Amino acid sequence: MSFQHHLMSSLIPLTSHGTIAVDLSVCTVQCVCPQECGAMLAGRLLRVWRLADTAATGLLRGLRPGPVGRTLQPRLAAPAAVRRASSFQHRTHTCGQLRAKDAGRSVSLCGWLQFKRMRKFITLRDGYGVTQLILPDEDRRLSELVDSLPLESVLQVTGAVRLRPDGQQNQDMKTGDIEVVAHDITVLNKPERELPFNVRSFNKATDPAICPQAKEALRLQYRYLDLRHTELQENLRRRSQMVAEIREYLVRDHDFVDIETPTLFRRTPGGAQEFVVPTRWPGQFYSLVQSPQQFKQLLVIGGLDRYFQIARCYRDEGARPDRQPEFTQVDLELGFTSQQEVQALVEGMLHRCWPQELVTPFPRITFSQAMTQYGTDKPDVRFKWRLVTVTRALRSCGLDVLEKQLNGPDGAAVALVVPDGARHHSRAVQAQHARMAEQAGLAGVSALPADGAGRLGGRLAAPLGAETCSRLAAAAGAGPGDLLLLAAGPEGAARTLLGRLRTHMADTLEEAGVTVRRAGPHFLWVVDFPLFVREEGRLVSAHHPFTRPHAEDEHVVYLDPEQARSQHFDLVLNGWEVGGGSMRIHEPALQRHVLQKVLGEDTAPLQHLLDALASGAPPHGGIALGLDRLVALAAGAPSIRDVIAFPKSSDGRDLMAGAPSDISREEYELYHLKKPS
């Protein structure tokens, strides 16, 4: 029996499941499918109709699971209650809403005066788009009024929609087929001084007098003006929509509970540097949480085994394009689950909220494979360049310096072939590679471009000799016109360096107009991370101290913990880590051993967690996804600052309000602090 929708006497075939009867006139949904209709069905219908009639979409969002034949009542009481962008406001339409079908309609628009010309044409902009207005020739009053107004004045305009004359349509505007003949203009407000930049064009300005850093600082100082840009408006609306879809997927489809956890907590061992918050108790401090990690484990122990939160987190580690001192993550935890089930849940959630269709399940790769093939634990798999071990091809090559590096501790030679890269290896690129090698602690990186016959050249080619170069090219897979980059020394450092060069050369070629990366989102799970890593002579947690060992390596934690793998897993998108999760330790004895014996930590600050584990904790695991980074990648934004309403600067400051700032002497005394001299 075909699965169909009946909408206003129209049947829409969907799947072979049953029939859903939808009657918008009475706004009810009658389920007559032969099986129980659940949340999965509702989600499927929503996806089919996502770009269809908005009333139907609003209606279907009200579907709830129910038995066969039962009438399901939607959340919305009537079609008129479907969300509209102009409800409860002065306007009848937004500035991005009117189309040719609206010709002849009387409308009221509100927005900012963006442009004016010839005392006749003006454009009005709001957060949804731009509409062109025409001032009638016979109404000099309106022309004189607009002529006296500065740009960015706030207006309410009433008028009539009409089609633009033939040949005057603007295909670059959503409203480019129409214009509004203004009948009346009300000035709601106007700037009292000249604005620091032109809102209409500042994003694309190329004024050589303003360097990019100064331009961004100016935008952050006047963020309320910068927010008027179309790009930021669209990014923030996309963020809101993605969060709404995430909540609906977790709460309505999978019965998760949205629970807020404290942001004021205590200092905990391990992890990132935390912000310290003074209190009125002498010598007593809170810390702002870097993650709700402990709270979500405690919730599962308390029986709330399907938790999530759009969580605010804080880390005192400075800022950069992909990081802020305060950020937002999609945080979730499941009891009685496995790593594979958590990953499947996340894949379904992203499939639901992502603006493009995603192919699931996502590919998986181990940490060891990622480091071996790509030189990084967050590889960009949109292009296939891989690292190749060429140590054997260079054994007994006769170069003392090279052989010394190969015979050193963990010595190896690693190569990266850049297809068609020989002609893009300029002196500037070579200088950048030399600096990157120095930062990696290696003597350098050798570049061997291949000529049209596939013979390797460059400074190293002559001392290596033709025979060795031929073996090297064959081992690395270099062909005519390719560029072979070679690094030798400790294998880990060599692979990490070439991993960075891999990304750098992809950027270099694409800047020259060569297509390297495939289009679209390429998600990847990286699994089987080390449980511990050695830093400054001691073991530290690779992820956090609550991460469970790999099922096959639990005994290794007691015998040789540095060799133990973990049940930690990262989600990588286009070369960016967008999420990190793990299964958690739920046995108090194992958790105490990890903290005390392996990490050498004082367990007193975590006694509450150890006591909770000892009360009977189920197996559990979860993940935290960086919402800011996810939205930035979905929107194609170069920085997470472009998807945050009020971000901090690159050094972690609020340039608009001037924070952080000093406090009064009385507040120093209240919080038992000593004022710096």
Side-chain angles (χ1 to χ4, degrees):
M1 183 177 182
S2 63
F3 185 77
Q4 297 172 317
H5 273 281
H6 185 165
L7 174 59
M8 294 299 198
S9 302
S10 297
L11 292 177
I12 305 177
L14 293 174
T15 67
S16 57
H17 180 73
T19 302
I20 291 283
V22 180
D23 186 349
L24 292 183
S25 64
V26 296
C27 203
T28 62
V29 181
Q30 180 70 30
C31 178
V32 292
C33 57
Q35 305 174 28
E36 179 151 327
C37 180
M40 182 183 298
L41 173 60
R44 187 174 299 165
L45 301 183
L46 280 175
R47 197 149 190 90
V48 171
W49 273 357
R50 177 166 291 180
L51 300 179
D53 188 279
T54 56
T57 301
L59 175 65
L60 284 172
R61 287 193 183 282
L63 280 174
R64 294 181 181 276
V68 174
R70 179 179 178 180
T71 298
L72 304 178
Q73 293 296 336
R75 283 182 288 171
L76 301 177
V82 173
R83 182 188 60 186
R84 296 179 60 182
S86 297
S87 57
F88 310 108
Q89 292 179 303
H90 300 320
R91 64 190 180 214
T92 61
H93 297 77
T94 71
C95 292
Q97 189 174 0
L98 297 173
R99 299 292 187 271
K101 63 182 177 60
D102 297 304
R105 177 173 291 180
S106 295
V107 298
S108 176
L109 305 176
C110 295
W112 285 264
L113 176 60
Q114 177 173 279
F115 178 75
K116 53 184 180 178
R117 180 169 61 93
M118 300 170 55
R119 304 187 69 183
K120 182 178 181 64
F121 299 96
I122 68 173
T123 57
L124 195 68
R125 183 199 71 247
D126 62 11
Y128 303 87
V130 179
T131 298
Q132 177 173 286
L133 309 177
I134 300 295
L135 306 180
D137 293 333
E138 63 274 12
D139 195 338
R140 298 178 58 87
R141 175 184 60 88
L142 290 183
S143 298
E144 292 172 357
L145 172 62
V146 170
D147 195 44
S148 68
L149 293 175
L151 297 181
E152 295 303 303
S153 293
V154 187
L155 309 178
Q156 180 178 3
V157 180
T158 58
V161 183
R162 75 179 186 190
L163 296 176
R164 294 195 188 190
D166 289 341
Q168 296 186 20
Q169 293 83 2
N170 186 341
Q171 300 305 317
D172 295 330
M173 293 174 61
K174 293 185 293 184
T175 59
D177 290 333
I178 60 93
E179 57 194 11
V180 174
V181 180
H183 296 160
D184 189 40
I185 297 177
T186 302
V187 180
L188 303 177
N189 209 335
K190 60 183 179 181
E192 295 183 353
R193 57 186 175 83
E194 184 179 355
L195 300 183
F197 53 81
N198 185 337
V199 172
R200 179 170 175 245
S201 61
F202 185 76
N203 268 355
K204 300 176 181 178
T206 56
D207 185 349
I210 305 179
C211 69
Q213 293 80 5
K215 185 189 298 183
E216 182 177 51
L218 189 65
R219 291 176 57 184
L220 291 176
Q221 182 180 355
Y222 297 96
R223 186 62 169 183
Y224 45 86
L225 293 180
D226 196 31
L227 286 171
R228 297 180 188 175
H229 283 122
T230 301
E231 293 89 342
L232 292 183
Q233 291 267 335
E234 291 177 348
N235 290 348
L236 293 174
R237 295 182 195 283
R238 182 188 297 274
R239 180 186 180 117
S240 175
Q241 181 61 33
M242 288 180 68
V243 169
E245 296 281 3
I246 288 170
R247 288 187 186 278
E248 184 147 327
Y249 174 83
L250 292 174
V251 176
R252 293 180 60 80
D253 292 3
H254 294 289
D255 287 333
F256 273 72
V257 184
D258 186 352
I259 303 176
E260 293 183 354
T261 57
T263 55
L264 288 175
F265 195 38
R266 65 168 299 152
R267 178 76 175 90
T268 54
Q273 178 64 40
E274 296 170 340
F275 284 100
V276 174
V277 181
T279 72
R280 300 187 184 195
W281 297 289
Q284 303 293 304
F285 298 86
Y286 283 116
S287 285
L288 295 179
V289 293
Q290 54 181 290
S291 165
Q293 179 62 45
Q294 293 184 52
F295 290 114
K296 63 183 182 180
Q297 290 190 243
L298 293 169
L299 286 167
V300 173
I301 295 170
L304 290 154
D305 59 4
R306 298 175 85 84
Y307 144 92
F308 94 99
Q309 179 181 188
I310 307 298
R312 296 293 287 172
C313 305
Y314 307 86
R315 295 181 185 177
D316 190 10
E317 296 182 336
R320 61 188 191 205
D322 64 323
R323 181 173 294 172
Q324 287 270 295
E326 56 178 323
F327 57 96
T328 306
Q329 64 186 35
V330 181
D331 199 70
L332 59 89
E333 195 82 4
L334 273 169
F336 310 104
T337 192
S338 68
Q339 174 177 317
Q340 292 72 25
E341 288 169 313
V342 174
Q343 291 171 335
L345 172 75
V346 171
E347 289 172 354
M349 182 178 71
L350 291 172
H351 189 274
R352 174 70 168 271
C353 75
W354 204 256
Q356 299 95 31
E357 198 74 19
L358 298 180
V359 177
T360 56
F362 301 151
R364 285 161 172 75
I365 188 174
T366 67
F367 170 82
S368 177
Q369 290 171 328
M371 295 303 299
T372 299
Q373 297 175 10
Y374 301 103
T376 177
D377 60 1
K378 38 185 177 290
D380 187 345
V381 294
R382 289 175 295 174
F383 58 110
K384 297 182 179 181
W385 308 350
R386 295 187 179 183
L387 312 187
V388 181
T389 301
V390 292
T391 306
R392 182 177 299 179
L394 294 173
R395 291 289 187 192
S396 304
C397 65
L399 285 180
D400 292 341
V401 174
L402 185 56
E403 291 189 1
K404 182 179 179 181
Q405 292 172 329
L406 298 182
N407 294 325
D410 197 28
V414 185
L416 169 68
V417 173
V418 180
D420 196 31
R423 58 194 178 94
H424 298 285
H425 193 244
S426 64
R427 290 186 178 180
V429 170
Q430 294 177 49
Q432 289 175 306
H433 289 183
R435 288 193 295 270
M436 294 165 71
E438 184 179 358
Q439 293 169 357
L442 296 178
V445 59
S446 299
L448 295 93
D451 62 17
R455 292 185 296 266
L456 297 181
R459 294 181 180 179
L460 193 62
L464 282 179
E467 184 179 348
T468 301
C469 283
S470 179
R471 287 201 310 269
L472 177 60
D482 293 344
L483 174 67
L484 189 153
L485 299 175
L486 177 68
E491 184 173 5
R495 291 192 182 280
T496 300
L497 171 60
L498 286 179
R500 293 183 60 199
L501 296 182
R502 177 178 180 270
T503 302
H504 179 265
M505 285 306 300
D507 293 339
T508 300
L509 265 65
E510 291 196 328
E511 289 170 3
V514 180
T515 300
V516 175
R517 297 175 173 93
R518 291 173 291 170
H522 286 71
F523 284 94
L524 176 73
W525 290 109
V526 181
V527 301
D528 293 353
F529 280 77
L531 187 57
F532 307 106
V533 294
R534 188 167 295 277
E535 290 183 1
E536 299 179 356
R538 62 185 293 262
L539 289 181
V540 299
S541 297
H543 184 46
H544 58 57
F546 316 119
T547 303
R548 186 169 192 79
H550 194 285
E552 299 174 0
D553 292 355
E554 288 191 19
H555 67 286
V556 181
V557 176
Y558 296 93
L559 301 175
D560 188 5
E562 192 169 0
Q563 302 305 315
R565 294 168 298 167
S566 71
Q567 292 192 54
H568 168 63
F569 43 93
D570 275 353
L571 182 61
V572 176
L573 171 58
N574 296 352
W576 294 87
E577 178 197 334
V578 294
S582 70
M583 298 303 295
R584 325 299 189 189
I585 298 173
H586 64 274
E587 306 94 335
L590 178 57
Q591 184 65 83
R592 187 175 288 106
H593 174 79
V594 167
L595 290 169
Q596 290 181 334
K597 303 300 184 182
V598 179
L599 301 177
E601 296 284 1
D602 179 11
T603 58
L606 293 170
Q607 191 59 47
H608 58 281
L609 179 61
L610 294 171
D611 290 344
L613 293 175
S615 70
H620 58 286
I623 193 170
L625 301 169
L627 180 64
D628 309 306
R629 198 172 295 178
L630 272 175
V631 177
L633 289 165
S639 165
I640 63 171
R641 289 193 287 274
D642 293 326
V643 299
I644 299 173
F646 298 100
K648 303 295 187 291
S649 65
S650 58
D651 60 353
R653 294 180 176 273
D654 181 343
L655 301 181
M656 182 182 66
S661 60
D662 198 4
I663 58 176
S664 68
R665 184 171 298 276
E666 291 76 17
E667 286 169 313
Y668 275 103
E669 295 174 356
L670 179 65
Y671 293 112
H672 311 282
L673 301 174
K674 182 178 179 181
K675 185 176 177 63
S677 56

